[in-house]
Amino acid sequence: MKDKMRRGGGRNQAKTDVISHTGGKDAIGVKQDEDTSFPVKIQGAGVEPFELQVHGFWLVQDAVMTLLAREEVCPRSNLSLALAGTSLDPLAELQSLKGLKPGAIIRLVEEPYTIHSARLHLARVLELLRASGPQDALREGRSPSILETLTHTQTDSSLPNGKNLKRSLSSTKTESTNQDGAPPEYLLPGSSERPIMALLPHSSQPEVPSYLRDLSLSCWNPPPGHRKLQGDFMYITAVTMEGRRHEITACPKGFFLNRSTEDVFDPRPAQSSPVCHCFTDLLCHISPSFKQTFTNLKNRLQLPPVEVTPTPYHTLSWLGPPCASRTHKNTFNRLGVDEQAASQVPDWNEELQAARDLPQGGLEERLQRDRTLLQVNSAFVKAVIKGAETIVDGFAEPVNGNPEDPAFLWGGLFMSQGAASTEFGGEKGRRAAQRLELKGVQAYNDLEGMEGLHTLPTAIVDYRGVRMSAQGLAPGLEGSEQDQEATPASRGLLYGVNAGPQESAQRRQLLALLARAAKSLCIQRHVVVAPKGHQVPLFTSVDAQGLLGADGRLYVLDLVRTFPADANFCPEVETESQTVTEEEDSDKTSKEDNEKKGCVKEGWPENYHADSGLPKSFPHGLCRLRPELVQAFIQHKHCQFAQRVRETLDENGGFEECATACDSRATDAVRAACKDVGSISDTIFEMRFNPNVFSGVLFPPSESESTKLQERLLREAAAFIITHQIPAFVEYCLHSNEAPMDGASLKQALHQRGINLRYLGHVIKAISQSEQKERLRHITRSVIGEIFMRSTRRVFNSFLQGVDVPSLSAAVSHFLCCLLVPHFTPTPVGEETKKKSRRRGRGAGASESTPWSTLTGAELWNLVCQDAVETYNISDSLGSGPNHLVEQYGLQKLSLLREFCLKTGVQLRLRDYLFDNQNKAPIGPDDVVNMFPIVKHIRMPTVDASKAYRAAQSTIHKGLLDQAHEHLKEAAYLFGRVCDDLHPEACYCHSLLARVAFLQGKAAEARSVQLKAVVISERVLGFDHPNTIQQYAFLGVYVYAGGEIALAQKCFLRARLLMLTVHGEDHPYTATLDSCLGLVLSGDQTGQFLKNALRLNTSFFGSTALHTALNQHLLAQWLCSKGDYRSAMTHEKEALTAFTSLFGEDHPQTHCSKEFLSTITKQAVQVERLLRQTGADCTDQTVECLTPTTDTILEQMVLVTGIRSITQSDKFQEYKKKHLERKAAVVKELGLKLINEPVVSETVNEGQKSSAKETGCGKEAEDGGSPAVERESQQEQPLEEASVERAALVAARDHVVQSVEQIQHEEKTDVDRQHSEDSQTAAADTKIKIVNGESEVAETSVQNGIKSNTDNGEMKSEAKCDEIKSDKICEINGSKVLAANAPVLKSKGTWADVVVSKTIIANGTAHKEPAVNGVTHNVSANGKAKE
């Protein structure tokens, strides 16, 4: 099956190919575009005829929407379609229309306007006139895409025939010839300069021209009554660029000029004025300048949709335009279109629930539902942002009279700050309650199969130090609102502690839904005592309520305490939950007291309090466990459960005996294990948690035992964070070169392991107690910076409450100066300040008496340190000032400034800031450009796209690259349909698709897809997000593969600039970037970057780590190219020592390093001879330097960046040894002879030797094969990265195929013996199908060895990978296929894994490539290999 890049995205893109999914029984049935798409011709409505590709399953209105988005039609609107003179029903399917066939002519028909549709048309025209310019993203606070400033060409991957790719290739190659490759000094290793201006270079896109001077509602608007009766909708005034003023009338037929002037009202049509259905046609008629500009707009080179389509959610840019005043422009708001839209208050709840209720039968229906949900939620979040700005800025009045908790109704939203309850901990508790409510809604929103249970649209927003929660208006309760004495049931309250006893069909339905939700959320059904004394069974926390709305839907509300309590931070309520037992049953008081004394500490590890200081109190009382922690803890308990069962069975005679015996030993073992691990069932393993334990809730006596068990489990879960999760995080950081770089990536890494950010102090403690704390200094730096910034944000929120609006920019700049400048003291308001204030038109006296202006740096630092001690329990870590953070931890003030802005919504002017001058404030009021709301919202699912993405990851794990490629193309298509690719997961999908395509040798496709991934990352995650840094590094590799060396240098330098800004130079990933720069740059800078990479890798991973050994080899290679063979020998010896210790003497990597060392030793001897024979003067002319080839450099970059990995197969070697012993025993028992085994063994050895020579170490061979250093901790890295590496690992194996007769007999015996002897061995296995003399290999994951069967003459075998020599290797549909000769098929062999070097094919050309560092793979980059 040929690979085609499926392009396009979004519902309205007509030429989008639909990709078929071939994934087995779980495949998503996507319709084939060959069956449903066909072309039609579009004519009429003043549009030049053109062809449109439509799909048969489209509705007519889908075709209309697609047409309205086309450049040929925009901005026309209010159009319908006609076929053969007959108007088409908008809700009819195209395939149901008679006479509609390929090539049919469909006419556009201009429909009469209504007042509403006329306003919508004007809104479309304004959208066109407000076309975004290069500076608009910064002005609006959105993260821009910078990629086009590097390529200076279009990056659209959706143009057919690769025209864009060719244009980009020619452009960048031409540019590279005119450029000096030397990087700027601030990017060289060791530089302390951090220029901010370089972060956002000037865009190569031209500024948007001006179309009109003004466009607004006329002073004569609205029309008088007698003109309304004649069809006048509104009057518009347009001032053209020529300076002429025109009065325009909107009517049902369109728009025309009237005779009115500023002084005289005359609504009659002007002479020779046409009536134009499209407003721009009339403007072209009256203004030649507008016509020319509009024509140029139509003919301009279109940017790809991923660059211009608005993102669903706002991604903040902390840097604004250099001059905010100059970038402000007329947006024609006086036309009133925006106000008209705002006046129509939407019912956000009804819109969201209607979207959720959309059908989900077929794929098209599910995609439409997902897209609608995303659009509704995106619009809701934008309304929340606008509402927060309106309310906090003081433009809305509260609807209640409570000044402590004002509530607002605005734009269909209910917004409030929430009451600061002393029970939950005041202000911090209030904020925590809002955050947990959002997380609870997200948890119920994510449940599959729960369509009947609804939650309200919810978001929280932080703006100017105020946090507000926003929800759509809940529907009225079902029942009589006039009857105030009605029971809760009649008022619609079906569930909750206050609902009371009732019985109804709706209540039964709600309870069934809540029970299913509780099972998915691992919540235990339990009984609590209500405030009135009666007992209430619950499936949720005690706060939750279930309602029957007036719309007939069932809602669940108040989900603050959905997740279990964190026992580490709630010691004061540990014993409260059982007090009701003592009160109600005095006869058992003394007995229960004794039980309490014995079990209050049950669940805590030994010496837990002494070692960790936990449990302890926290500033707020709403500390809950994260859902990720709950899942990890359940997995941990399940492992304990399995281990206990196995141990018990072993003690009672073994598994087989207990399983076959007709007694209760097996059942007793399961029961004992269930009790031991705390399962709520005594017959199966089942873990559930009570969210009301440790929450001050009273339980009845019947719940006593269950409550004790829950308290024990919650203590164990809380201790699990300290004893397992935090050490696992530290271990991951110790071995990964992609460890967290900033606050966002640190937060993500911790949350993935279920670690709340309140444990940051414990993370610091764990690192400080580690023997490797020096190697973890970059994590310490990130954690300290995050603690400092989060405490600073809390102080800043309080600080802003005392600032009036006119002083905001001055107060923010003053706060930043106090924060970042040591011992900063405010200067009195002098004459110069007064002059500046007068120049701005404000009085200067106000700032003298304001409290914020008297804040000093020392006072601010004390407040921040006090908050850090209270929240994170760190005392002296922050020191006495900002310089302590710089000197002690290596934190950068620029990085702190960036973190502060991203966390608070502050946007600064784009300029370079200097923090070293203590006599001058580095940030002034004019530098604070804006403050934007920070929103946390519900993440809407992309179900089918995510399933396809996960299916791709699964197939990559199995080594099926072709199938993974198809899955990824489908996932990318589906993401485009749902979210126009503007989604974080779509970015990861495109990045993985590019990597898989590159591994298959499709470098051009990888480049095209990666360009898109970079743009998505910049716009959705942020232009300086850590993921963007990594995407630039991958792009550098792919463009280098296409020969674009200059662009590759720009990508790596861009990544290094972002790395220096976000974290600084002292980070493992900087070593990765420096290694790549050392490979792509030329001149003296190469050595600087390579030496710096070696220094960093040595300090972070040690001298014998794989990263360091590869760097030693790269440096030796560069020194050889310079002719310095003595130094090269020194570095290669270090590399050889490391490879030997890592892989052993027999690994191909070690062999190649030996060969390379031998080669450069010979070269060094030759140099010495030449020096003696000819003298030093002739050396340069007579010594030939060893220089790596371009393909060698490419493969080395692939290794360094992690696209491909070096494999180390100790487990397989161990298995091979055991397997050989078993096979020998079986053969001996059966009386057979292994006549061919010595031959096989010899063949293996010869294959290794010949491959070492092949890859080896001649003049070019020393630069060897390739690749990318894989992360040593694969289990902890992101799945999409680990999967590619496992694919490479699978690709690096050869296999032996035995004859069918021998396998059928021998392997059956083997399977039986293996199952009985070694039930614990597990490894990556290989499925092999022998078809027409070929064996098809695919990796699976099974336990214990070999399984085989014969079906219709086709033998399928699953076995451990062994390695023998084969003649050919190729790839068919993602499976590695070995074409073996007859002698090999007839010979016997064993199965194990030995990595053998093979020829690498890069960029689609077959050639014998020397192995980089001796590491090669038996799969080519494009799936082909040469013998």
Side-chain angles (χ1 to χ4, degrees), residues 1263-1372:
D1263 350 301
S1266 121
V1269 172
E1270 188 57 3
R1271 299 23 163 201
E1272 296 176 0
S1273 173
Q1274 287 191 358
Q1275 71 276 12
E1276 295 292 345
Q1277 58 183 311
L1279 185 56
E1280 65 269 19
E1281 298 168 8
S1283 55
V1284 173
E1285 298 160 358
R1286 281 198 57 181
L1289 180 135
V1290 174
R1293 302 172 186 150
D1294 280 344
H1295 307 275
V1296 62
V1297 183
Q1298 303 176 347
S1299 65
V1300 176
E1301 295 82 0
Q1302 293 167 339
I1303 292 176
Q1304 286 176 343
H1305 179 73
E1306 292 182 18
E1307 290 188 354
K1308 185 177 185 304
T1309 310
D1310 250 6
V1311 173
D1312 298 336
R1313 179 171 291 274
Q1314 280 182 310
H1315 276 298
S1316 62
E1317 288 183 2
D1318 187 6
S1319 64
Q1320 316 237 352
T1321 308
D1325 300 11
T1326 307
K1327 288 182 183 175
I1328 299 186
K1329 297 179 183 178
I1330 298 182
V1331 184
N1332 300 327
E1334 295 184 343
S1335 61
E1336 179 179 333
V1337 181
E1339 180 182 327
T1340 61
S1341 180
V1342 299
Q1343 287 197 342
N1344 311 325
I1346 306 163
K1347 301 177 183 177
S1348 66
N1349 57 20
T1350 306
D1351 185 15
N1352 298 329
E1354 177 176 317
M1355 190 280 295
K1356 300 179 182 179
S1357 168
E1358 296 184 2
K1360 302 293 185 210
C1361 306
D1362 190 14
E1363 142 135 339
I1364 62 151
K1365 181 163 181 173
S1366 64
D1367 294 328
K1368 292 182 181 179
I1369 181 167
C1370 61
E1371 232 177 74
I1372 296 178

Side-chain angles (χ1 to χ4, degrees), residues 419-596:
S421 169
T422 55
E423 176 188 356
F424 292 153
E427 173 68 13
K428 291 184 178 180
R430 182 180 61 79
R431 286 174 171 263
Q434 292 170 313
R435 183 181 69 251
L436 289 171
E437 173 73 19
L438 181 69
K439 289 172 62 179
V441 172
Q442 180 74 67
Y444 279 88
N445 193 58
D446 288 342
L447 297 178
E448 293 187 6
M450 303 293 293
E451 286 75 19
L453 190 62
H454 298 267
T455 56
L456 296 177
T458 307
I460 56 177
V461 56
D462 292 286
Y463 179 58
R464 283 176 45 189
V466 177
R467 169 168 289 186
M468 304 197 75
S469 60
Q471 287 187 322
L473 298 179
L477 298 181
E478 185 67 38
S480 173
E481 295 183 1
Q482 298 175 353
D483 184 7
Q484 298 297 326
E485 300 300 324
T487 63
S490 64
R491 296 199 306 269
L493 181 62
L494 301 181
Y495 170 86
V497 290
N498 297 319
Q502 51 183 296
E503 183 63 32
S504 66
Q506 291 90 347
R507 174 176 165 82
R508 288 193 297 270
Q509 180 186 359
L510 177 61
L511 290 178
L513 288 170
L514 290 176
R516 287 166 52 195
K519 183 175 182 180
S520 300
L521 296 173
C522 303
I523 297 176
Q524 183 189 25
R525 180 189 181 278
H526 57 282
V527 179
V528 300
V529 178
K532 295 182 180 179
H534 62 281
Q535 298 183 11
V536 181
L538 294 178
F539 294 100
T540 61
S541 67
V542 72
D543 310 305
Q545 299 183 77
L547 306 177
L548 175 63
D551 55 2
R553 298 186 179 101
L554 298 171
Y555 292 88
V556 57
L557 308 177
D558 298 335
L559 303 171
V560 176
R561 294 192 276 196
T562 296
F563 301 109
D566 186 348
N568 280 328
F569 293 99
C570 48
E572 69 279 358
V573 295
E574 274 199 2
T575 58
E576 285 186 12
S577 58
Q578 297 183 29
T579 55
V580 67
T581 308
E582 299 174 342
E583 294 171 4
E584 295 187 355
D585 195 346
S586 58
D587 295 338
K588 298 181 180 179
T589 299
S590 59
K591 179 180 176 181
E592 291 184 357
D593 284 342
N594 294 332
E595 287 180 356
K596 283 184 189 179

Side-chain angles (χ1 to χ4, degrees), residues 557-737:
L557 308 177
D558 298 335
L559 303 171
V560 176
R561 294 192 276 196
T562 296
F563 301 109
D566 186 348
N568 280 328
F569 293 99
C570 48
E572 69 279 358
V573 295
E574 274 199 2
T575 58
E576 285 186 12
S577 58
Q578 297 183 29
T579 55
V580 67
T581 308
E582 299 174 342
E583 294 171 4
E584 295 187 355
D585 195 346
S586 58
D587 295 338
K588 298 181 180 179
T589 299
S590 59
K591 179 180 176 181
E592 291 184 357
D593 284 342
N594 294 332
E595 287 180 356
K596 283 184 189 179
K597 292 176 183 178
C599 73
V600 117
K601 299 296 182 184
E602 184 183 0
W604 295 125
E606 188 177 355
N607 299 325
Y608 181 70
H609 180 73
D611 295 338
S612 65
L614 298 172
K616 65 184 291 293
S617 60
F618 196 72
H620 66 74
L622 284 173
C623 296
R624 320 300 286 185
L625 298 177
R626 293 189 61 81
E628 300 92 340
L629 187 278
V630 172
Q631 294 302 320
F633 179 69
I634 292 175
Q635 183 66 33
H636 170 70
K637 299 295 284 187
H638 184 266
C639 293
Q640 286 186 353
F641 170 78
Q643 182 67 22
R644 301 280 160 69
V645 172
R646 184 176 293 113
E647 291 174 353
T648 306
L649 293 178
D650 290 342
E651 293 172 358
N652 292 293
F655 173 78
E656 290 187 358
E657 181 180 338
C658 295
T660 56
C662 298
D663 53 29
S664 62
R665 282 180 291 177
T667 306
D668 292 343
V670 172
R671 290 181 182 274
C674 286
K675 183 177 181 180
D676 197 15
V677 300
S679 171
I680 63 171
S681 169
D682 60 351
T683 56
I684 61 171
F685 175 85
E686 185 176 11
M687 299 294 293
R688 295 202 190 183
F689 301 90
N690 186 336
N692 294 320
V693 171
F694 293 150
S695 300
V697 178
L698 301 181
F699 298 95
S702 59
E703 293 283 312
S704 176
E705 292 298 323
S706 174
T707 304
K708 290 177 183 177
L709 173 61
Q710 287 295 318
E711 289 180 351
R712 169 198 153 192
L713 287 177
L714 290 185
R715 292 191 191 102
E716 290 180 355
F720 181 71
I721 299 176
I722 302 295
T723 59
H724 288 77
Q725 296 303 88
I726 291 179
F729 168 74
V730 172
E731 186 68 18
Y732 155 72
C733 295
L734 194 60
H735 297 291
S736 173
N737 66 343

Side-chain angles (χ1 to χ4, degrees), residues 928-1159:
V928 181
V929 175
N930 208 338
M931 286 189 72
F932 292 98
I934 305 294
V935 185
K936 295 180 180 178
H937 55 82
I938 299 298
R939 301 180 309 276
M940 288 298 167
T942 52
V943 179
D944 291 287
S946 297
K947 284 183 179 178
Y949 180 48
R950 290 193 295 270
Q953 291 175 320
S954 176
T955 51
I956 287 175
H957 276 298
K958 299 174 184 177
L960 308 177
L961 290 186
D962 276 0
Q963 289 187 21
H965 189 253
E966 289 300 315
H967 283 300
L968 286 168
K969 286 196 296 184
E970 181 191 2
Y973 163 77
L974 296 175
F975 277 121
R977 288 288 305 275
V978 174
C979 58
D980 297 317
D981 294 320
L982 297 173
H983 189 280
E985 198 169 3
C987 174
Y988 307 143
C989 175
H990 281 82
S991 179
L992 185 57
L993 174 59
R995 295 176 72 177
V996 171
F998 182 79
L999 288 173
Q1000 292 181 312
K1002 304 165 187 173
E1005 179 185 333
R1007 174 200 187 277
S1008 175
V1009 176
Q1010 188 62 29
L1011 284 169
K1012 195 172 186 179
V1014 171
V1015 175
I1016 297 171
S1017 184
E1018 287 183 318
R1019 298 194 64 212
V1020 175
L1021 297 173
F1023 72 89
D1024 55 354
H1025 191 275
N1027 181 73
T1028 305
I1029 299 175
Q1030 188 182 49
Q1031 299 307 325
Y1032 265 112
F1034 289 151
L1035 179 60
V1037 177
Y1038 305 149
V1039 297
Y1040 185 89
E1044 302 172 80
I1045 299 176
L1047 182 56
Q1049 293 175 357
K1050 291 180 183 179
C1051 291
F1052 288 125
L1053 289 173
R1054 172 72 183 171
R1056 194 175 204 276
L1057 173 64
L1058 296 178
M1059 187 75 216
L1060 294 178
T1061 303
V1062 169
H1063 186 94
E1065 190 173 81
D1066 192 32
H1067 191 280
Y1069 201 70
T1070 307
T1072 300
L1073 298 176
D1074 285 358
S1075 297
C1076 294
L1077 284 167
L1079 288 169
V1080 300
L1081 292 174
S1082 58
D1084 296 334
Q1085 289 87 5
T1086 297
Q1088 285 182 264
F1089 286 108
L1090 288 176
K1091 290 175 183 177
N1092 191 58
L1094 177 60
R1095 177 186 64 81
L1096 290 172
N1097 276 330
T1098 303
S1099 65
F1100 283 114
F1101 303 111
S1103 59
T1104 60
L1106 183 58
H1107 304 81
T1108 311
L1110 288 168
N1111 264 126
Q1112 295 278 15
H1113 176 82
L1114 295 181
L1115 196 53
Q1117 175 182 284
W1118 175 73
L1119 290 168
C1120 286
S1121 69
K1122 294 295 182 182
D1124 186 358
Y1125 294 106
R1126 286 189 175 275
S1127 300
M1129 288 170 57
T1130 303
H1131 288 289
E1132 191 60 33
K1133 286 178 181 176
E1134 295 287 339
L1136 177 59
T1137 303
F1139 289 138
T1140 304
S1141 65
L1142 287 170
F1143 304 120
E1145 294 284 348
D1146 298 329
H1147 195 277
Q1149 179 69 56
T1150 311
H1151 281 302
C1152 187
S1153 184
K1154 287 180 182 177
E1155 294 287 343
F1156 183 39
L1157 182 58
S1158 174
T1159 301

